[in-house]
Amino acid sequence: AIAAAYAAKQAQRVKKLILIDSVGIEHKAPLRARLMAVPAIGRYFGRMFGGGVAKSVIADSFSTTPAPAVLARLEAPAATKGYADALRASYRHWQRSNNRQPFLALAPKKIPTLIMWGLRDKITPHAGMAELHKILAHSETAVFENSGHAPVIDEPDIVHRRMLKFLKD
């Protein structure tokens, strides 16, 4: 949604856009996110369980187990001070915002867009791709059957070839 909002506002600066497993379309926040967004208990829940939530989100992001170095790099922020509060604020803002709006604003700009999605995505269900493609009717789509939420890590060679083809065409 952030990339779509930028492209909609700065269309003259964006020649092509690639969206990967976009959050917000046909997506309901998991219980852990909804609890962290509750004003009174969210701070407590986030501080007590924020690190575990981060590890669970990371685990849900892949259809395969990434290399230990990749996991360590992704898990490192969860140990930093303020991480749980930042995660809680992100969940709260996400629930309050209209996540369709950036894509609706982008649609009339007709910027060539590639929508990529991992079929095994547990974070943003594949149904979101069809809805996003309806909104961005001029877009191309690419589905990666053996990928979760992070196809660039699950199937890097296939994903990169598809991205390069789109960017070169």
Side-chain angles (χ1 to χ4, degrees), residues 7 10-17 110-113 166-167:
Q10 300 290 331
Q12 72 283 3
R13 302 180 92 181
V14 179
K15 292 181 182 176
K16 291 189 174 191
L17 180 64
K110 301 230 185 287
I111 295 170
T113 302
F166 172 74
L167 294 172

Side-chain angles (χ1 to χ4, degrees), residues 123-142:
I123 295 174
T124 54
H126 183 251
M129 181 180 189
E131 184 62 25
L132 187 52
H133 187 55
K134 279 185 200 173
I135 294 169
L136 301 175
H138 63 281
S139 64
E140 297 178 32
T141 61

Side-chain angles (χ1 to χ4, degrees), residues 80-87:
T80 60
K81 185 176 181 174
Y83 175 82
D85 288 337
L87 187 62

Side-chain angles (χ1 to χ4, degrees), residues 62-64 117-121 143-148 150-151 153-155 158:
F62 307 102
S63 67
T64 59
W117 222 281
L119 191 58
R120 298 179 184 183
D121 190 339
V143 176
F144 301 95
E145 294 183 19
N146 298 311
S147 291
I153 293 174
D154 282 332
E155 298 182 86
I158 297 168

Side-chain angles (χ1 to χ4, degrees), residues 4-169:
Y6 177 84
K9 288 183 180 176
Q10 300 290 331
Q12 72 283 3
R13 302 180 92 181
V14 179
K15 292 181 182 176
K16 291 189 174 191
L17 180 64
I18 299 174
L19 301 172
I20 304 173
D21 294 75
S22 295
V23 172
I25 303 294
E26 293 294 315
H27 181 250
K28 183 178 180 183
L31 178 61
R32 61 185 176 242
R34 294 193 308 270
L35 287 174
M36 288 179 79
V38 175
I41 66 169
R43 172 171 265 158
Y44 171 78
F45 184 80
R47 290 203 173 146
M48 294 300 293
F49 306 108
V53 169
K55 286 185 179 190
S56 130
V57 168
I58 291 167
D60 284 351
S61 293
F62 307 102
S63 67
T64 59
T65 303
V70 171
L71 282 177
R73 214 168 88 213
L74 293 171
E75 290 175 351
T80 60
K81 185 176 181 174
Y83 175 82
D85 288 337
L87 187 62
R88 183 178 49 82
S90 294
Y91 281 141
R92 181 175 288 166
H93 175 71
W94 176 59
Q95 281 191 270
R96 289 181 180 170
S97 63
N98 178 353
N99 291 304
R100 286 176 179 269
Q101 188 53 44
F103 302 107
L104 293 169
L106 177 62
K109 308 295 183 186
K110 301 230 185 287
I111 295 170
T113 302
L114 172 62
I115 302 169
M116 299 170 60
W117 222 281
L119 191 58
R120 298 179 184 183
D121 190 339
K122 295 177 188 173
I123 295 174
T124 54
H126 183 251
M129 181 180 189
E131 184 62 25
L132 187 52
H133 187 55
K134 279 185 200 173
I135 294 169
L136 301 175
H138 63 281
S139 64
E140 297 178 32
T141 61
V143 176
F144 301 95
E145 294 183 19
N146 298 311
S147 291
H149 189 64
V152 295
I153 293 174
D154 282 332
E155 298 182 86
D157 294 338
I158 297 168
V159 171
H160 292 140
R161 278 196 302 273
R162 183 61 182 98
M163 292 170 86
L164 289 173
K165 181 185 179 317
F166 172 74
L167 294 172
K168 286 179 182 177
D169 288 346

